[in-house]
Amino acid sequence: MATAATSVLPELDAEAFARWRAGGGRMVDLLRAVGELGPVAGFRLGDRRVVLATGAEAVQQVLAKRTEVYVKRGHRVKPLLGGGLLCAAGEPWRRQRKLLQPQFTGRGIKAYEPQIRAAVAATAARWRAAAATGEAREIDADLRYFSLDVIWRSLTAHPLDPETHRRLVAAGEGFAAIPAFAPATGGAETDFREANEHVDRVAEHAIALAGQAEEPGLVQVLLRAAAELPDYTERLVRDELMTLVVAGYETTATALSWLFLLLDAHPEQRDLALAAGPAGSAERTAAIRALVDETLRLYPVAWLMPRYAAEDDVLEGCPVEAGTTVLVSPYLTHRDGRLWPDPEEFRPQRFLDAGRRPATGAYFPFGLGPRACLGAQFSIRETVLLLEELLPAYRVRVTEAPAGAGYGLTVHPDGPIRAVLHAEGDK
Ligand code: HEM
């Protein structure tokens, strides 16, 4: 039962809305303006009622505490990923999550660590060769290749091959164009026919490779489920497999791209992390982890999460009517001066200060509650292992940086990142 509302929902007025439209009409600017009205505030888009929840308590309520009220409805990538975990709901979602969860906890991930380390070694070898030429290269492409290689090896126990890479890049191109939240109802739907063709071929290939592999991979977990459980159809194996690729690849690669851009602007932070302890020490790992945490504070890649209010409710005293779209944005919450001192500054140390961990609901790059990211620990592990290898070995000087950020399904650098790699020798 919802408690009684104690205040009126602040709403963006027509004048502010017109100013936003005149200023270019980017969704992120609209949400910023709404967020300034308070921790819970509303606006209207056509006949659609929207509430933005940025306060820590409201975020917790939407994502973790009242999930029966705030439901995930459909997903714009459903035509591509079908009944996979990201788009599933209700009982099928619960069963699918239960099946995969053990693979993504600390112990489960250990089984994939050799695959992650092999992908790290392959990337390190490419960078060694590139550093020797002294030429600038597109490091964002390297980072995408790395994260795709990691997930592919974990699925199939085989390194990424050029044909699969080509198909997945082609399938992924459409994603960048999908908005995180469509400003209008209706409108042109993304045409996923070509992407689906690539995805089908890649899934077939993954299943064939997994059959030949000597070591177990995630695909075998899915195939075993298909053999034992009637609900686990061939189609679901394909959807789940591709969900893991799609949810895990661009997200991790984008976080790494932001991290190298931030370190280019703050080179002292790389030096501080390396000085925290010798290679392999817990101190150095913690300092590198803090670089990742702070990057994900400023650029939580999945920056906007829509939910649908199935019932009336009250959020931080404000009424929310059934039928409202409720948006939660780690991007806005993580930059809220009411929750974070000097929110725009890149200060990884804030994650190292004992006793100053952020409040639940103030920091959630991987979401919160039952629908939180399945691959959070996996992603952190691959990122830290890669950085432990690359950061001591190279100074990365960015020679061409994108002008800003793009805000689609992900918040991403809106262009390629070219950089020269200067080898440092062992440290
Ligand atoms: C920096 C990297 C990543 C970020 C920022 C990220 C972020 C997120 C967020 C915020 C959600 C929740 C969305 C919502 O509640 O609406 C999510 C869900 C999910 N993520 Fe990630 N993710 C990352 C990496 C990964 C990786 C590496 C994998 C898999 C290998 C993965 C698999 C998933 C899946 C399957 C879901 C759906 C979970 C469910 O609904 O039960 N993610 N992710």
Side-chain angles (χ1 to χ4, degrees):
M1 264 271 298
T3 46
T6 50
S7 33
V8 177
L9 180 73
E11 288 203 70
L12 199 70
D13 59 35
E15 211 176 291
F17 200 83
R19 254 198 321 274
W20 165 68
R21 278 229 185 279
R26 287 196 318 169
M27 184 51 60
V28 64
D29 298 327
L30 176 65
L31 297 181
R32 253 192 219 116
V34 176
E36 277 164 19
L37 301 177
V40 178
F43 62 101
R44 275 175 189 273
L45 276 179
D47 55 4
R48 195 159 164 185
R49 276 193 313 276
V50 187
V51 161
L52 173 69
T54 49
E57 198 190 310
V59 166
Q60 272 196 76
Q61 191 163 328
V62 172
L63 293 184
K65 291 190 179 154
R66 303 215 64 199
T67 49
E68 74 289 1
V69 174
Y70 300 101
V71 294
K72 228 174 152 172
R73 273 216 319 193
H75 199 291
R76 275 169 310 286
V77 293
K78 200 171 165 74
L80 194 56
L81 301 180
L85 206 46
L86 201 60
C87 310
E91 201 42 47
W93 167 78
R94 226 179 308 281
R95 273 200 304 272
Q96 287 165 234
R97 177 101 192 190
K98 204 168 148 203
L99 180 86
L100 281 178
Q101 188 76 54
Q103 305 296 320
F104 286 91
T105 56
R107 185 131 40 97
I109 292 166
K110 276 245 172 309
Y112 303 105
E113 194 147 319
Q115 303 295 354
I116 300 178
R117 286 188 186 276
V120 167
T123 303
R126 268 193 299 282
W127 274 31
R128 231 176 347 265
T133 70
E135 285 170 15
R137 59 190 281 115
E138 282 188 14
I139 60 164
D140 55 313
D142 287 339
L143 298 169
R144 276 197 297 278
Y145 193 95
F146 164 73
S147 69
L148 199 46
D149 194 21
V150 167
I151 190 74
W152 189 252
R153 286 175 192 260
S154 305
L155 283 162
T156 67
H158 284 77
L160 183 63
D161 55 89
E163 174 68 1
T164 303
H165 180 235
R166 184 189 69 76
R167 282 192 183 278
L168 286 173
V169 168
E173 267 161 16
F175 287 111
I178 304 175
F181 174 62
T185 43
E189 289 293 318
T190 310
D191 184 350
F192 283 112
R193 267 173 306 185
E194 199 185 319
N196 259 323
E197 178 63 26
H198 289 305
V199 164
D200 287 344
R201 297 292 83 76
V202 168
E204 282 163 13
H205 183 42
I207 291 168
L209 283 178
Q212 305 159 12
E214 282 165 21
E215 296 153 64
L218 278 164
V219 171
Q220 278 160 355
V221 175
L222 300 175
L223 291 176
R224 220 177 307 130
E228 291 166 10
L229 309 169
D231 297 346
Y232 231 91
T233 59
E234 234 173 76
R235 171 73 203 189
L236 186 54
V237 171
R238 175 260 193 220
D239 288 349
E240 207 65 292
L241 203 157
M242 293 321 298
T243 295
L244 293 175
V245 172
V246 168
Y249 142 58
E250 198 77 42
T251 43
T252 304
T254 302
L256 276 163
S257 285
W258 283 123
L259 190 142
F260 278 102
L261 283 173
L262 287 164
L263 287 186
D264 186 61
H266 305 275
E268 74 288 355
Q269 289 295 351
R270 164 192 175 265
D271 300 341
L272 279 172
L274 296 177
S281 66
E283 290 77 12
R284 185 183 280 190
T285 301
I288 289 179
R289 168 76 198 257
L291 295 178
V292 179
D293 289 343
E294 179 68 343
T295 300
L296 286 171
R297 185 185 66 79
L298 285 169
Y299 298 103
V301 180
W303 71 285
L304 193 60
M305 297 172 219
R307 293 292 191 268
Y308 173 81
E311 297 168 27
D312 288 349
D313 196 28
V314 175
L315 280 179
E316 297 204 16
C318 298
V320 175
E321 285 175 41
T324 303
T325 298
V326 178
L327 299 176
V328 167
S329 169
Y331 182 81
L332 295 174
T333 298
H334 293 180
R335 288 171 185 250
D336 188 333
R338 290 164 291 203
L339 298 170
W340 295 90
D342 306 317
E344 301 295 325
E345 275 178 34
F346 179 63
R347 246 186 20 220
Q349 286 68 24
R350 63 174 102 226
F351 285 93
L352 291 169
D353 296 346
R356 289 187 52 196
R357 293 293 302 176
T360 321
Y363 184 69
F364 55 106
F366 294 103
L368 277 180
R371 299 296 303 237
C373 179
L374 177 77
Q377 287 189 57
F378 184 94
S379 173
I380 294 282
R381 190 76 191 124
E382 64 176 300
T383 302
V384 169
L385 283 175
L386 182 73
L387 294 172
E388 283 182 337
E389 183 75 28
L390 297 184
L391 288 187
Y394 303 99
R395 275 186 190 278
V396 180
R397 298 245 185 273
V398 173
T399 54
E400 190 187 316
Y407 298 84
L409 270 185
T410 62
V411 53
H412 52 273
D414 66 356
I417 306 167
R418 295 183 69 78
V420 177
L421 311 172
H422 297 277
E424 290 258 62
D426 284 342
K427 265 201 174 179

